[in-house]
Amino acid sequence: MNKVYIIGAGIHPFGRTEERSGRDQGVYAARQALKDANLEWKDIQFAAGGSMAAGNADVMLNDLGLTGAPFINVFNGCATGGSALSTAQSAIASGQYDIAMAVGFDKHPRGAFNANPKSFGLPDWYGQTGMMLTTQFFALKLQRYMHLHGISRETLGRVAEKSFRNGAMAEHAWRRTPMDLETILDSPMINHPLSKFMFCAPAEGGVALILASEKKVRELGSDAVGIASVAIRSRPPGSFEVYAPAIDVIEGGKPTVLASQAAFEIAGIGPEDIDIAQLQDTESGAEIMHMAENGFCKDGEQEQWLAEGRTEITGSLPVNTDGGCIANGEPIGATGLRQVYENVTQLRGRAGARQVSGKAKTAYSHVYGAPGLSGVAILEV
Amino acid sequence: MTTDRQPIASGLWSDEDNPHLLAGQASDGKIFFPIPEGESGKGLEVIKLSRKGVLWSFTRQDFRPKPPYDGPEDFTPFLLGYIELPGEIIVESHIVDATLEELEIGMAMEFVITAFDDKRATFAFKPERK
């Protein structure tokens, strides 16, 4: 397999942009990425992209140009962005292409996501009785995790406090005002123990990345970041996933653990070698649990990590340096690529006020989504 | 109070004085709840799940969900959680006759049929009171 690099990254600010469609936000990000890579759309030989709720990504060709290049639509829940990246990466790693684009965008209405039970192979009563909500899953998984591993509600608040603090320093973030711990802890309860400001909200945004082969990087003299690995895994038996009317009594594995282990194995490094991590933080408890599921700490150690500020931008392992989903909101098709965008920005030393201290060499990103799949990408310079 | 209400779905629990949730069991012993429709449901034996279990996790639904939620317009927050039926399966369920403050992971729970709205009944678990 040939080594693949990211040579351009573009983003449309996350949040709410009433006057712009989801696809338009994708086009904006694509043009920004092309400019960053000093390329034109006609140079792109292959593209993969997707959205969950804002239409087919390949319609972007009408805006970007009808060059005849293949454009693969990707639709893979919260791993849509990660899957677009994986598809574009494979296209270059195989040697078939030298330059590709991965793009993701979305635009969701306000309020919690509502899914159609039938499209997840579930009976109508599960939705009718009000048990098919993503927010409940996060609360239920977290409630048990806190009970088993001694995590306090204050620690959940500290995660969100950090997200808003980091988001304030990220130009592309939605929530850019710091918030104090007390306000977060006392905000209206959504699903106990999670209150309003601990959750991310469905939102809008677009991200595009330009990928290239080593040959092309040399030819163009690009400011390139290497892709050490990309791994996507679906749920194993006995796992506990979103939209589960029942769970096995014998506890099984987790898709995040599988994707993480695979990504580390391909990259030939371990969690201790990672300098920055972007972890799916659909709510603050998810960031806590994903710290352990991705191998960065043991279950329960998060309590001390957060108290000591180890995941701050100035800490030993900065986590969600642009404020993550909590500060950026969740446009499903774009989130996975936003994490990679942030890692590229950090590794190139272009993150401004939120730039991590020291010379970061490796960066990790992780997404998780319904009905139980996870994507991990490790970058290196 | 629930006897005049129709079950929210047929075949979800057994029709008897002390009803049980119904599940499907494969020849290797693995239990599926709810009983899968279509190909995955073929060849499964219908079994009754235990009426007693322990609380595995819980939360409270504090906002009125969007559709397909079909509960009363006048929304009251409700409790829900997962109940472990030892040796069988862990089921997601509404929780009734309790407050959030009373709930503790590991507490004994028992199965009940409860009113969902004026016309329909659904299943729930409640803390077992000695």
Side-chain angles (χ1 to χ4, degrees):
Chain A
M1 297 275 269
N2 299 320
K3 176 107 185 178
V4 181
Y5 296 81
I6 296 173
I7 61 165
I11 194 163
H12 182 280
F14 277 39
R16 294 268 169 225
T17 312
E18 300 299 345
E19 68 281 10
R20 204 168 265 164
S21 72
R23 192 177 64 245
D24 248 6
Q25 297 180 39
V27 170
Y28 177 102
R31 290 192 172 134
Q32 225 191 35
L34 288 166
K35 195 173 158 204
D36 180 40
N38 206 13
L39 293 171
E40 292 177 50
W41 172 249
K42 66 174 171 51
D43 300 318
I44 303 297
Q45 301 163 344
F46 175 92
S51 85
M52 181 83 177
N56 294 341
D58 67 331
V59 181
M60 290 172 81
L61 290 171
N62 292 340
D63 305 289
L64 294 170
L66 303 172
T67 59
F71 193 121
I72 307 295
N73 281 320
V74 176
F75 184 82
N76 210 4
C78 294
T80 294
S83 300
L85 179 68
S86 169
T87 305
Q89 190 243 6
S90 301
I92 294 175
S94 70
Q96 206 174 349
Y97 301 102
D98 284 308
I99 301 190
M101 180 183 278
V103 57
F105 55 85
D106 241 317
K107 191 177 181 89
H108 304 288
R110 284 163 210 281
F113 291 112
N114 55 334
N116 173 6
K118 282 278 181 282
S119 66
F120 284 87
L122 293 165
D124 288 334
W125 63 260
Y126 187 57
Q128 288 170 335
T129 56
M131 294 198 284
M132 192 174 173
L133 275 86
T134 53
T135 59
Q136 291 170 355
F137 163 75
F138 299 125
L140 289 162
K141 184 179 173 188
L142 178 61
Q143 186 92 264
R144 185 167 174 84
Y145 190 86
M146 290 169 77
H147 172 79
L148 292 177
H149 302 293
I151 302 294
S152 66
R153 218 176 148 255
E154 189 172 323
T155 295
L156 303 183
R158 283 187 202 282
V159 169
E161 194 186 15
K162 169 176 69 68
S163 305
F164 292 119
R165 196 162 43 234
N166 292 354
M169 294 185 284
E171 296 75 23
H172 61 263
W174 183 16
R175 315 281 190 203
R176 302 205 56 198
T177 312
M179 196 182 291
D180 62 79
L181 185 60
E182 203 165 274
T183 306
I184 294 163
L185 292 173
D186 294 346
S187 62
M189 198 62 84
I190 300 290
N191 291 121
H192 184 272
L194 292 164
S195 53
K196 185 179 174 182
F197 295 130
M198 295 176 183
F199 272 105
C200 80
E204 306 168 17
V207 183
L209 302 170
I210 314 282
L211 282 64
S213 63
E214 189 152 14
K215 186 182 97 186
K216 211 70 190 174
V217 169
R218 270 202 307 270
E219 198 180 303
L220 295 167
S222 312
D223 182 3
V225 170
I227 299 177
S229 60
V230 181
I232 293 168
R233 291 292 182 275
S234 52
R235 59 210 169 280
S239 66
F240 173 31
E241 309 300 340
V242 62
Y243 304 148
I247 319 166
D248 284 358
V249 282
I250 298 162
E251 197 183 327
K254 295 180 173 70
T256 291
V257 173
L258 296 182
S260 175
Q261 287 173 349
F264 279 126
E265 197 183 319
I266 298 164
I269 58 173
E272 64 286 356
D273 301 314
I274 297 295
D275 296 326
I276 312 165
Q278 317 296 338
L279 306 177
Q280 176 103 16
D281 59 330
T282 338
E283 35 73 32
S284 50
E287 180 173 316
I288 296 280
M289 295 184 285
H290 289 150
M291 284 166 65
E293 289 182 23
N294 286 289
F296 295 110
C297 68
K298 292 200 177 73
D299 289 323
E301 287 181 352
Q302 300 96 327
E303 188 74 9
Q304 195 188 344
W305 276 52
L306 266 293
E308 293 175 2
R310 289 199 215 175
T311 55
E312 297 287 339
I313 280 174
T314 50
S316 54
L317 179 72
V319 173
N320 292 330
T321 48
D322 68 347
C325 293
I326 293 174
N328 285 275
E330 166 71 310
I332 288 178
T335 287
L337 294 178
R338 173 186 53 74
Q339 297 174 325
V340 178
Y341 171 89
E342 174 64 8
N343 279 340
V344 168
T345 306
Q346 289 282 351
L347 291 177
R348 285 164 146 188
R350 299 187 196 175
R354 66 181 193 285
Q355 181 67 44
V356 300
S357 47
K359 182 71 188 110
K361 293 271 190 204
T362 54
Y364 184 99
S365 59
H366 154 264
V367 285
Y368 167 83
L373 77 164
S374 198
V376 170
I378 300 175
L379 306 184
E380 61 186 4
V381 284
Chain B
M1 109 186 208
T2 54
T3 47
D4 53 343
R5 289 181 169 85
Q6 287 298 311
I8 190 124
S10 61
L12 195 46
W13 60 81
S14 60
D15 184 14
E16 56 189 315
D17 286 346
N18 285 310
H20 295 252
L21 281 177
L22 297 175
Q25 187 165 33
S27 52
D28 65 358
K30 189 170 163 54
I31 294 172
F32 297 87
F33 175 82
I35 300 170
E37 292 170 5
E39 286 298 319
S40 304
K42 284 185 183 163
L44 297 181
E45 184 193 349
V46 176
I47 60 161
K48 291 180 185 179
L49 293 176
S50 173
R51 288 175 50 86
K52 301 270 175 91
V54 293
L55 190 58
W56 190 85
S57 191
F58 62 92
T59 188
R60 189 175 60 198
Q61 180 59 35
D62 276 25
F63 65 94
R64 190 180 195 279
K66 292 179 189 171
Y69 177 67
D70 196 21
E73 280 300 329
D74 184 14
F75 180 74
T76 312
F78 60 87
L79 296 169
L80 72 156
Y82 282 94
I83 318 302
E84 179 165 8
L85 307 175
E88 296 180 345
I89 196 164
I90 303 165
V91 295
E92 188 173 4
S93 170
H94 279 230
I95 294 169
V96 294
D97 294 345
T99 62
L100 181 74
E101 293 69 28
E102 281 176 87
L103 295 179
E104 272 180 53
I105 288 171
M107 74 195 295
M109 306 289 285
E110 64 181 335
F111 185 71
V112 286
I113 299 301
T114 188
F116 178 64
D117 58 16
D118 291 345
K119 296 192 175 70
R120 293 170 295 179
T122 192
F123 69 92
F125 279 79
K126 64 175 186 180
E128 196 178 343
R129 318 257 182 213
K130 293 272 159 48

